[in-house]
Amino acid sequence: MKTTNPDTSLPDSWREPTPDGATLAMGDFPSVLLVGTGTLIQRHVTKPVLETLHLSVPEWRLLAFLHENGRSVAGEIASRTWMDKAQISRVLEALVERGLVSREADPQHRQRQLVALTAKGRRLHAQAFEATRKLQSELLLALSASERKGLFGALTKLRALAEAAGAP
């Protein structure tokens, strides 16, 4: 993977942000930088590899979720993957048609569907995971140890703050 060394000097708006955010332009918002960076990584790093396996990014996310969590209810998948229910429904349908995921009625709640990986889905997940794990490792290796530590700490803290903001 080709790496570049962008200017990492801190912009004035980040050096001393004001409580009211008056110094921030839209492009300075942490949320804009995070989403933009994530989108670029998916578009230029993850997606090309997944396309060789005939998987979309949402399909990959659903396979990975089911691999990590086992048989699940669609509503749980939506809340834990940040995908909306309509998108999950479309992705599930495509994965079921391809024989990668099975779907059955929940015996304890007939209106819910339980979904799980099939053997074919587990094999494809293993292939995709191997390829994407290598690419993600290359991204981490482009950062110094102190940059990795700072990034992980900052992302973990921002995630906790966001989760707390959404808690009842």
Side-chain angles (χ1 to χ4, degrees), residues 110-157:
R110 294 198 187 275
Q111 291 178 328
R112 289 193 306 205
Q113 296 278 312
L114 294 172
V115 293
L117 288 178
T118 63
K120 183 178 176 182
R122 285 189 294 278
R123 286 190 300 273
L124 185 57
H125 170 269
Q127 284 182 282
F129 187 73
E130 187 68 28
T132 56
R133 179 174 53 189
K134 180 181 182 303
L135 293 170
Q136 294 295 317
S137 184
E138 288 176 13
L139 290 172
L140 289 174
L141 289 169
L143 303 174
S144 68
S146 63
E147 288 171 327
R148 289 191 302 271
K149 181 178 179 179
L151 179 62
F152 185 80
L155 291 174
T156 302
K157 184 174 185 175

Side-chain angles (χ1 to χ4, degrees), residues 36 40 66 85:
L40 287 170
L66 291 172
K85 288 181 183 181

Side-chain angles (χ1 to χ4, degrees), residues 14-35:
W14 276 52
R15 192 167 285 111
E16 292 189 40
T18 59
D20 67 357
T23 62
L24 295 174
M26 182 75 157
D28 296 328
F29 288 11
S31 58
V32 170
L33 290 168
L34 288 168
V35 169

Side-chain angles (χ1 to χ4, degrees), residues 50-69:
L50 294 177
E51 285 176 343
T52 67
L53 298 170
H54 308 288
L55 280 174
S56 67
V57 172
E59 289 171 337
W60 164 235
R61 288 173 62 195
L62 206 142
L63 290 180
F65 177 87
L66 291 172
H67 172 78
E68 291 177 4
N69 297 282

Side-chain angles (χ1 to χ4, degrees), residues 41-100:
I41 290 170
Q42 280 191 353
R43 183 179 299 149
H44 299 299
V45 178
T46 306
K47 186 178 176 185
V49 170
L50 294 177
E51 285 176 343
T52 67
L53 298 170
H54 308 288
L55 280 174
S56 67
V57 172
E59 289 171 337
W60 164 235
R61 288 173 62 195
L62 206 142
L63 290 180
F65 177 87
L66 291 172
H67 172 78
E68 291 177 4
N69 297 282
R71 194 167 75 164
S72 300
V73 175
E76 177 187 6
I77 296 168
S79 68
R80 296 189 46 209
T81 63
W82 305 291
M83 295 167 66
D84 65 55
K85 288 181 183 181
Q87 183 181 30
I88 288 174
S89 179
R90 289 188 304 273
V91 171
L92 275 176
E93 189 61 38
L95 294 174
V96 167
E97 285 178 19
R98 292 175 57 194
L100 300 171

